[in-house]
Amino acid sequence: MTSSPREEPVEQSLEKVVTQATDNGVSWITLDRPHAMNALTWDQRERLISLLSEASADPAVRAVVLTARGRGFCAGADLKGTPGAGGERIAGDVARVIERGAQRLVGAVLDCEKPVLAAINGTAAGLGCHLALACDLVLAAEGTAFVEVFVRRGLVPDGGGAYLLPRLIGPQKAKELMFFGDSLPAAEAERLGLVNLVVPADELAKTARAWAERLATGPTRALALTKRLVNESLDAGRAVAFASEATAQEINMTTRDAREGVDSFVQRRTPRFEGR
């Protein structure tokens, strides 16, 4: 039964509004605060950061899916949940809140040592949009949209938006989205390269599971090193990128999965990677 607009939902524990379950090597992290379009409070952001850090360190986790329940993926930051909101503001407060909150969250996705797949079930706006775009792969349900909503509130994009968007679609298109704040349909986001695949809404979970489980059977450390190489290459010159690539392969060749990959090739069989 759906609450009427006048009813104030009772907030649940963090474990219920950001749920986590591990299945077949995949950590499923779900935003579950649908009455607020999954707008993120400060505490929720901290839980997400913690879950991503735990996924990096847990050998039983080999891929992560970030999704949500309800009509929206994430409407952005819930400003009511920000420490000190509504109180007296002093110089530096806003910058500190952004650095410790939204930027840490986006950084946690980018730095997670396991591949992170976003399964976008509804509108991703503001910080929610940047949270999605920080993921390594993005699936979106038909009818969803991405919105750089900041300009509508007279704000500068934060949470890494001005860093992520130009690197994904180029500065001109990034400025268009950020200057106008228009809703970008999933199909257009796919055409621009912000989304890997758009699927019918009733196939989103199934497709996300298939992709994530395929990632979870891959060479986990090789994927982690590949993710780092790609992310760092966007800010590096050729010499640095080439040196990083050679070093990464040197490190990777010490893993069991690399040995298994070479052995299976020589023996003409399908490799069985352990994530080690």
Side-chain angles (χ1 to χ4, degrees):
M1 181 176 180
T2 303
S3 300
S4 67
R6 293 182 181 179
E7 293 177 348
E8 289 295 330
V10 177
E11 288 295 346
Q12 299 171 294
S13 67
L14 277 175
E15 289 73 18
K16 292 182 178 179
V17 294
V18 181
T19 67
Q20 189 278 333
T22 300
D23 183 28
N24 285 339
V26 179
S27 175
W28 290 81
I29 302 175
T30 305
L31 305 180
D32 196 356
R33 195 169 170 248
H35 68 269
M37 292 287 284
N38 294 306
L40 290 172
T41 65
W42 181 273
D43 288 340
Q44 284 176 286
R45 288 197 296 271
E46 291 304 303
R47 176 160 165 77
L48 280 172
I49 292 168
S50 177
L51 289 172
L52 289 164
S53 177
E54 290 170 9
S56 286
D58 187 351
V61 172
R62 297 173 65 184
V64 176
V65 173
L66 182 58
T67 190
R69 190 173 70 87
R71 295 185 299 111
F73 171 72
C74 179
D78 186 336
L79 300 181
K80 292 182 293 185
T82 301
E88 182 181 357
R89 182 178 297 162
I90 62 174
D93 275 354
V94 173
R96 280 187 288 272
V97 166
I98 293 169
E99 290 165 358
R100 296 173 184 175
Q103 290 179 351
R104 283 181 59 238
L105 174 58
V106 170
V109 178
L110 293 170
D111 295 338
C112 183
E113 295 180 28
K114 309 298 167 62
V116 182
L117 169 68
I120 309 302
N121 58 295
T123 298
L127 175 59
C129 178
H130 301 163
L131 179 61
L133 300 183
C135 293
D136 302 303
L137 299 170
V138 181
L139 301 175
E142 292 175 349
T144 63
F146 299 80
V147 190
E148 285 292 336
V149 75
F150 297 92
V151 71
R152 300 185 188 180
R153 312 288 182 258
L155 301 175
V156 171
D158 61 39
Y163 174 85
L164 293 166
L165 264 181
R167 285 164 171 76
L168 292 167
I169 59 175
Q172 247 56 37
K173 195 65 182 181
K175 290 173 188 174
E176 177 188 332
L177 296 177
M178 291 180 166
F179 286 0
F180 294 118
D182 293 334
S183 178
L184 182 71
E188 179 66 5
E190 181 183 24
R191 188 188 70 80
L192 291 174
L194 293 176
V195 169
N196 293 90
L197 184 66
V198 177
V199 298
D202 60 0
E203 294 182 13
L204 180 65
K206 177 182 177 182
T207 305
R209 181 173 295 278
W211 281 40
E213 290 185 352
R214 184 176 177 186
L215 291 169
T217 59
T220 307
R221 291 308 302 164
L223 292 179
L225 290 166
T226 300
K227 173 176 179 173
R228 180 180 294 181
L229 284 175
V230 173
N231 288 349
E232 291 180 351
S233 73
L234 299 173
D235 299 311
R238 185 182 69 180
V240 172
F242 276 24
S244 296
E245 176 186 276
T247 300
Q249 194 70 291
E250 177 76 23
I251 294 170
N252 185 63
M253 287 304 295
T254 66
T255 66
R256 293 185 196 173
D257 283 347
R259 291 194 293 274
E260 167 64 9
V262 173
D263 290 345
S264 64
F265 175 76
V266 172
Q267 297 167 14
R268 297 184 179 182
R269 58 176 176 80
T270 300
R272 292 192 294 181
F273 297 120
E274 302 175 10
R276 300 176 184 273

